[in-house]
Amino acid sequence: MKEELLKIKELKHFMIGYSYGGNQDWFRSYMMRLGGCGAETACDLSIYLKMYKGKEEAYSRDTANITRPEYVEFAHEMKKYLWPRMMGIDKTSTWISEYGKYLNDRGVSGIEMHTIEGDAPYAEAEEVFRGQIDKEIPVPCLTLRHKDKTFGDYNWHWFLLNGYKVVRTGEENRLMVKAVTYSEYEWLDFERLWNTGYDNKGGLVLLNVH
């Protein structure tokens, strides 16, 4: 069935060579390659905050030509806050607490963070997510277990959402979100992503940037 694009909103990002943002497969240690997605998400967000939100202290290096070695070094600095745990960083509150410490230690002010948990109704999640993107703020997302095999790559995983599009298929409108991870992005059906089928869920991290 033909898909009609009704609206699209994509945020700017950054390239590292030919890579769309960072990649945890680059990290130096096995545990960071396995469970460094929380740190990778924080690194990408920090670079965005410097490049597009004027938060210079969020990333201490030059953003004009970010190199892979520089990004890896940054990620291992972020590891001090968002290191892989036994069960991973499996709560949005943990990520907020540790990333908040990083921002505070770097002297970054004017950023408030809160969360919408994965057990919130989908309609609420869609509304707050679209509000963040409309304000040009990327959204860190945590997905835990998911019954839909389409989202196998996102099981127990942190990643950024930095865009959305509304599409019509037949008589139905769907919200697709732009998911960024492993130096790539793809469009995912947000309602299907949100409704994991399990009681233990992840959630979204929402930022207010002043």
Side-chain angles (χ1 to χ4, degrees):
M1 188 174 294
K2 186 177 180 181
E3 183 179 276
E4 178 187 1
L5 178 62
L6 301 180
K7 181 178 180 179
I8 188 167
K9 173 79 174 182
E10 295 180 84
L11 304 187
K12 296 176 181 177
H13 202 55
F14 61 93
M15 302 296 291
I16 303 175
Y18 294 103
S19 297
Y20 190 81
N23 192 324
Q24 72 189 74
D25 282 343
W26 300 342
F27 297 165
R28 291 193 293 262
S29 70
Y30 170 76
M31 285 305 297
M32 278 292 281
R33 291 192 295 273
L34 179 67
C37 53
E40 179 196 340
T41 300
C43 288
D44 277 23
L45 178 61
S46 298
I47 293 170
Y48 180 92
L49 289 172
K50 176 172 181 174
M51 293 181 71
Y52 304 117
K53 290 297 179 181
K55 300 298 181 181
E56 292 291 327
E57 300 87 356
Y59 178 67
S60 62
R61 299 165 178 81
D62 184 17
T63 57
N65 183 28
I66 303 169
T67 67
R68 174 169 165 171
E70 288 173 340
Y71 185 89
V72 170
E73 188 64 33
F74 181 40
H76 283 268
E77 293 171 9
M78 191 66 74
K79 177 186 174 183
K80 300 171 187 176
Y81 304 88
L82 291 162
W83 66 91
R85 277 82 164 162
M86 183 65 69
M87 293 299 294
I89 303 171
D90 61 347
K91 293 181 173 60
T92 52
S93 58
T94 302
W95 193 93
I96 287 174
S97 175
E98 295 304 313
Y99 186 56
K101 292 175 185 176
Y102 166 79
L103 294 175
N104 184 67
D105 288 349
R106 295 300 185 276
V108 180
S109 60
I111 294 179
E112 301 167 355
M113 291 182 285
H114 60 288
T115 186
I116 178 169
E117 300 294 345
D119 57 2
Y122 169 70
E124 181 182 348
E126 178 179 328
E127 180 179 4
V128 297
F129 168 74
R130 289 181 63 164
Q132 289 288 104
I133 299 300
D134 287 342
K135 291 188 292 186
E136 301 192 343
I137 302 173
V139 179
C141 179
L142 169 64
T143 298
L144 298 178
R145 293 186 300 161
H146 207 298
K147 288 189 175 180
D148 188 336
K149 301 304 183 185
T150 302
F151 304 106
D153 290 341
Y154 298 89
N155 273 288
W156 227 264
H157 194 52
W158 279 95
F159 51 101
L160 270 187
L161 301 175
N162 72 350
Y164 70 80
K165 61 182 178 180
V166 182
V167 298
R168 179 185 290 275
T169 304
E171 298 299 319
E172 186 179 31
N173 291 354
R174 305 294 294 177
L175 182 72
M176 309 294 291
V177 294
K178 188 177 179 182
V180 181
T181 188
Y182 288 104
S183 293
E184 298 178 340
Y185 68 84
E186 65 175 326
W187 292 97
L188 304 176
D189 185 304
F190 189 41
E191 186 171 12
R192 289 174 60 197
L193 175 67
W194 188 255
N195 295 324
T196 65
Y198 288 100
D199 292 334
N200 188 19
K201 303 176 187 292
L204 305 177
V205 174
L206 311 173
L207 280 71
N208 290 324
V209 181
H210 307 290

